Amino acid sequence: GVLPFVVAGFLLNEINNRLLTDDAFAELEKAAIIKEHSINEWAETMGETLAIILSRSRELEVAEAITGDPSLETELQINSIQRDFAGFLLSNDTFEEFFILDLEGRVVLSTDDEQVGKLFANQAFFQEGLEAAYIQPPLYSPSLKKTSVVAAHPISDGAREVVGVLAGRANLNALDAIMLPGSELGET
């Protein structure tokens, strides 16, 4: 009878479903690997951008502005750095804000004037940024009312002593695009 055909059909259907499931898992794994690679490239770009902004000569200027006595010259130096940061934001969409923190974690300069004076001493990006380049994972910021990713880099003076942290709040549009379903497959 019919029973051998039903059993054979059932077995073929099971084998086909397992093959399709294996293919689907393989595609998902491939997509995850591509997304991970893209996120790593995005993070590397952030770190490289901060390093470029904080070239050694500029780092010394920033360090001097942070540690210098309040004076007209220091104020002019800070204004010059702030203008340079704002210009860099206009020409590069990696970041939406740059800010400099002193050793207490207080913002002493920012491209967003509302951030000046805020204290970030307890934030990982500040604490880790005093030691080495660091990228804080996405974290909701109540003061900004949105999720943000902050990259940080120590600022050293002429004696190579850390005097503060340069931080950049990332523009998340690139990360959003990476995380969109199907983005790893390219344009259709």
Side-chain angles (χ1 to χ4, degrees):
V2 176
L3 187 59
F5 290 111
V6 171
V7 171
F10 176 77
L11 290 174
L12 285 174
N13 189 41
E14 281 299 307
I15 291 169
N16 189 38
N17 284 340
R18 285 193 183 166
L19 289 174
L20 289 175
T21 300
D22 289 347
D23 287 347
F25 279 122
E27 285 299 312
L28 285 173
E29 186 175 2
K30 185 168 77 172
I33 289 169
I34 292 170
K35 285 183 185 287
E36 179 184 23
H37 179 72
S38 296
I39 290 169
N40 287 338
E41 282 183 345
W42 175 73
E44 284 178 26
T45 299
M46 285 194 301
E48 290 167 359
T49 301
L50 287 183
I52 290 167
I53 289 171
L54 208 55
S55 66
R56 190 69 191 140
S57 60
R58 184 53 146 187
E59 183 175 17
L60 294 174
E61 183 182 348
V62 170
E64 187 178 304
I66 294 172
T67 59
D69 292 326
S71 67
L72 179 59
E73 185 178 333
T74 302
E75 186 66 31
L76 291 172
Q77 209 170 20
I78 288 172
N79 288 340
S80 170
I81 294 166
Q82 191 170 19
R83 275 192 310 276
D84 289 352
F85 284 0
F88 197 84
L89 288 178
L90 290 174
S91 67
N92 183 312
D93 65 354
T94 305
F95 291 97
E96 58 186 34
E97 176 192 1
F98 291 116
F99 51 107
I100 295 175
L101 304 107
D102 63 16
L103 287 175
E104 283 76 46
R106 187 169 313 282
V107 177
V108 295
L109 181 152
S110 176
T111 53
D112 178 353
D113 291 336
E114 291 181 21
Q115 298 299 320
V116 175
K118 288 189 178 177
L119 190 63
F120 291 99
N122 294 326
Q123 295 294 319
F125 74 82
F126 171 70
Q127 295 169 354
E128 297 291 331
L130 286 169
E131 303 296 323
Y134 176 77
I135 298 175
Q136 181 170 293
L139 188 66
Y140 182 77
S141 169
S143 66
L144 297 172
K145 297 182 177 88
K146 66 180 184 177
T147 299
S148 66
V149 172
V150 177
H153 193 288
I155 300 169
S156 301
D157 64 10
R160 303 261 185 211
E161 294 291 323
V162 174
V163 296
V165 173
L166 169 63
R169 190 171 317 282
N171 179 340
L172 296 183
N173 290 339
L175 183 60
D176 290 343
I178 292 168
M179 297 310 297
L180 283 173
S183 64
E184 69 285 346
L185 303 176
E187 296 294 320
T188 55

